Amino acid sequence: MSSTQMVVVHRSRRNIELLLLVFALGIGFAAYVVTSLNLYGELPENWGVKAGLWLGLGIACHAAIRWRIPYADPVLLPCVFLLNGIGLALIFRLDQAATPPSNDVVTQFGWTGLGVVGFIAFMIIFGDHRPLQRFTYTLGLTGLVLLLLPLMPGIGREINGSQIWVGIGPFSFQPAEIAKIVLTTAFASYLVERREVLALAGRRVLGIDLPRARDLGPILIVWAASLLVLLAQRDLGTSMLFFGMFVMMLYVATERPGWPLLGVAMAIIGGLVMFLLITVAKVGFFNHVLVRLSSWLDPFSDYDRNFQIIQGQFGMAWGGLLGRGLGEGRPGLTPLPKSDFIATVVGEELGVAGLMAVVLLYGIIVARGLRTALIGKEAFGKLLAAGLSFTFALQVFTIIGGVTRLLPLTGLTTPFMSQGGSSLVSNWVLVSILMVISHQFRKPVATAVEVDPDAEATQLIPTTNESRGLFGRRRRRQEAGA
C-alpha cells in the first residue's frame, strides 16, 4: 500500500528575482563609478551608455527566464550578476594601475555578453535537462578529449609552466573549463545507471564498508586521467578538481563513506608519486610545482621566487578589516592580479569583510544548487545539480584557499570575477543548467487539485507517489526496517 505524502508546490517568484537583480546590477555598477571617482574625481566616460548596456544584459536574462523557465530558482541570477559586476569593477581598477593604462575591462565585458548569450541559449535549446542523460558515453569521451586537448602538438600552449591552453590563431581558451560541465553531466548519467551496483558493500574495515574490488574500475580510470593531467599538463588545480568532483558524486550516488575514504587514499598516493618525481627522480618540468609548494609552506624562504604570493599577502594585510577603498589601494604591485590573484585585490580594496562577503555569495550559489538537488524527485537531475554545485564549490575553495595560503596555489580562476573568457562563459552555462534543473523540479505537477502559481501562500498537495531518488534511499531502508 502506498503512503500519502505532501508535495510542496513552489511559486515562480520572478518578481523577487527582478528586485534582487536590480539591486545586484546597481551594486556592480556603483562599484565601477566609485572606483572612477576615487581615482580621477569624476564619473566614468559615457557612464550612461555603459549603465544601459549593463542593465540590458540583466533584463535580457530575466526576460528569457520568465519566458522559458519561469519556476527557476530566483536567487542564482542576482548572485551571479553581483559577482560579475564586482569583477568588472576590479578589472577596470587594475587597468588604471597599469602604465600606460590598459583597457581589458572592455574585453571582459564582451566575454560577459557572450556568457549571457550562452546562458540564454542553453535554456532555450535545452528547456529540460533530462535528454542529456541519453548521451552518457558520448559526453564522457568528449569531456576526456577536451581535458587532454592541450597536449595535442600544434595547438597546445604552455603558459606560466602549465600546458592547459589551446590556441587557434589569435584566439586561445582553456578546454578544461568546458570539460568540467561535460564530464559532470556524463558522470551523473553513468552513476545513476550504476548506483545500485556501486553501492554494494565489499570488505568491512574498522566499521566501514569498502567498495568491492570489481567495482573500482570507474574511480581508477578517473584517478589515472587526473594523474595524467598532473604529469603531462603540470596542472595541479584541474587534477584536484576533476578527481574530487567524481569522488563526491560517487558518495552522493551511493551514500557509502567507503568511496570518499578510498578517494582520499588515492589522492595521497598521487601526491607521493609527484613528490618522488620532484625530489628523487629530479624531473625538471615539475619545477613550477615545487615553487608552488614552497610558496605555500615557506614563502619567505625565497623572496624573489615567491614574489607573487608574498605581494598578495601584503596587499590583504594592508587592506585590513574594511579595506583601503575601491581605487585607493595598490593591487598592481601583485603579479597577475586580474586572473589568479583577483581575490587578493578584493581583500586589499574591500578588506576582509569584502572578501568574506564575496565568499558568502559563492556559498549562496552552492547552497541553492544543493537545495535544488534536495527538492527533486528525478535521480539524474538530482545528481547533476549536486555534481555541478560540488564542482563550483571545489573551484572556489581551491583558488581562494590558494591565494590565502590555506592550500598550495593552483592555476584555477575565480568564477565570474577573474579575467578570461573560457571560465566566464562556462560558468554562465553552468548556472543556466542549474536553473533549468530547478525549474523542472519546482514547476507544478498535474494533480487533481488546481494549482495557482501566483497564489500568495505556498501550497501543499497530497499525492500518493512513494519516496524515490538518490537522497531518499536511506529513508526507504529505514522504513523497510521499521
Side-chain angles (χ1 to χ4, degrees):
M1 180 182 297
S2 61
S3 59
T4 301
Q5 75 178 99
M6 305 301 289
V7 176
V8 177
V9 178
H10 302 271
R11 290 183 287 163
S12 64
R13 295 194 179 276
R14 297 276 66 85
N15 292 334
I16 297 296
E17 178 187 76
L18 180 59
L19 181 63
L20 292 174
L21 180 61
V22 171
F23 177 76
L25 293 169
I27 293 293
F29 194 76
Y32 170 63
V33 171
V34 168
T35 301
S36 179
L37 289 173
N38 287 339
L39 286 173
Y40 305 114
E42 59 184 16
L43 293 173
E45 184 179 8
N46 298 323
W47 66 270
V49 175
K50 295 173 182 177
L53 291 173
W54 180 237
L55 179 63
L57 289 179
I59 296 302
C61 289
H62 178 72
I65 292 171
R66 281 186 178 269
W67 170 43
R68 291 292 294 169
I69 50 173
Y71 286 92
D73 189 290
V75 179
L76 286 172
L77 185 66
C79 288
V80 168
F81 263 105
L82 183 52
L83 288 168
N84 205 156
I86 293 173
L88 287 170
L90 293 178
I91 291 174
F92 167 74
R93 190 267 172 273
L94 292 167
D95 281 343
Q96 311 313 306
T99 305
S102 57
N103 205 23
D104 289 334
V105 67
V106 175
T107 304
Q108 187 71 359
F109 187 81
W111 284 118
T112 300
L114 188 58
V116 168
V117 170
F119 175 87
I120 296 174
F122 183 87
M123 71 175 66
I124 292 176
I125 299 173
F126 299 97
D128 190 345
H129 62 281
R130 288 171 292 185
L132 296 174
Q133 188 176 0
R134 299 197 298 263
F135 305 100
T136 305
Y137 298 102
T138 302
L139 291 173
L141 180 60
T142 301
L144 287 175
V145 170
L146 287 171
L147 190 60
L148 302 177
L149 194 60
L151 299 178
M152 184 176 293
I155 62 174
R157 292 184 181 178
E158 180 178 329
I159 300 177
N160 296 326
S162 297
Q163 191 165 343
I164 58 176
W165 294 85
V166 168
I168 302 176
F171 302 101
S172 62
F173 68 98
Q174 287 181 276
E177 293 289 345
I178 306 171
K180 71 181 181 184
I181 300 176
V182 176
L183 285 177
T184 302
T185 308
F187 290 159
S189 178
Y190 175 80
L191 292 174
V192 165
E193 295 175 0
R194 304 285 296 175
R195 67 185 188 274
E196 299 297 341
V197 174
L198 295 172
L200 295 177
R203 180 172 298 180
R204 191 173 184 86
V205 178
L206 299 177
I208 298 175
D209 294 324
L210 297 178
R212 301 182 304 173
R214 72 185 72 174
D215 299 326
L216 298 181
I219 195 172
L220 288 174
I221 293 173
V222 176
W223 182 63
S226 66
L227 285 181
L228 181 60
V229 170
L230 178 61
L231 296 173
Q233 299 183 4
R234 283 92 68 192
D235 186 11
L236 178 62
T238 302
S239 177
M240 292 171 55
L241 177 66
F242 281 97
F243 185 65
M245 173 257 291
F246 182 73
V247 172
M248 285 187 170
M249 293 181 70
L250 259 177
Y251 174 65
V252 172
T254 63
E255 301 181 11
R256 291 289 186 185
W259 284 113
L261 291 177
L262 180 63
V264 170
M266 296 173 74
I268 292 174
I269 293 173
L272 290 175
V273 170
M274 183 184 69
F275 179 78
L276 292 174
L277 287 172
I278 294 174
T279 59
V280 179
K282 304 295 184 182
V283 179
F285 55 75
F286 273 103
N287 286 337
H288 86 288
V289 177
L290 184 61
V291 170
R292 289 183 172 181
L293 290 174
S294 172
S295 65
W296 171 48
L297 297 172
D298 187 10
F300 291 97
S301 62
D302 191 328
Y303 189 91
D304 293 331
R305 188 175 65 174
N306 302 325
F307 181 73
Q308 185 185 36
I309 189 69
I310 291 174
Q311 288 298 103
Q313 298 287 297
F314 281 159
M316 288 190 290
W318 193 41
L321 180 61
L322 299 178
R324 311 303 300 181
L326 288 169
E328 300 292 340
R330 301 185 67 187
L333 297 177
T334 302
L336 300 175
K338 296 179 183 178
S339 53
D340 294 0
F341 272 65
I342 200 165
T344 65
V345 181
V346 178
E348 181 173 345
E349 304 226 322
L350 299 178
V352 173
L355 183 58
M356 290 302 100
V358 168
V359 172
L360 181 61
L361 284 172
Y362 286 125
I364 291 173
I365 293 175
V366 173
R368 300 300 291 194
L370 293 177
R371 182 179 183 273
T372 296
L374 286 169
I375 65 175
K377 299 296 183 184
E378 177 256 319
F380 172 65
K382 290 168 72 68
L383 191 53
L384 179 56
L388 292 174
S389 301
F390 283 137
T391 302
F392 189 85
L394 280 172
Q395 182 168 348
V396 172
F397 175 72
T398 303
I399 184 58
I400 295 185
V403 300
T404 57
R405 286 188 55 222
L406 178 65
L407 300 170
L409 187 64
T410 64
L412 297 177
T413 57
T414 309
F416 301 112
M417 298 185 68
S418 292
Q419 180 186 15
S422 306
S423 174
L424 189 58
V425 173
S426 64
N427 281 305
W428 270 103
V429 174
L430 184 151
V431 171
S432 181
I433 298 173
L434 283 177
M435 295 191 70
V436 167
I437 297 172
S438 68
H439 165 73
Q440 293 297 327
F441 287 172
R442 289 164 52 92
K443 68 180 182 180
V445 295
T447 65
V449 181
E450 182 178 355
V451 178
D452 180 10
D454 296 321
E456 289 301 317
T458 299
Q459 301 177 57
L460 296 177
I461 299 177
T463 70
T464 57
N465 293 330
E466 297 188 8
S467 60
R468 52 201 168 119
L470 299 179
F471 298 91
R473 184 184 298 113
R474 182 170 298 170
R475 182 176 60 202
R476 295 199 304 274
R477 289 200 299 262
Q478 293 173 348
E479 292 173 351

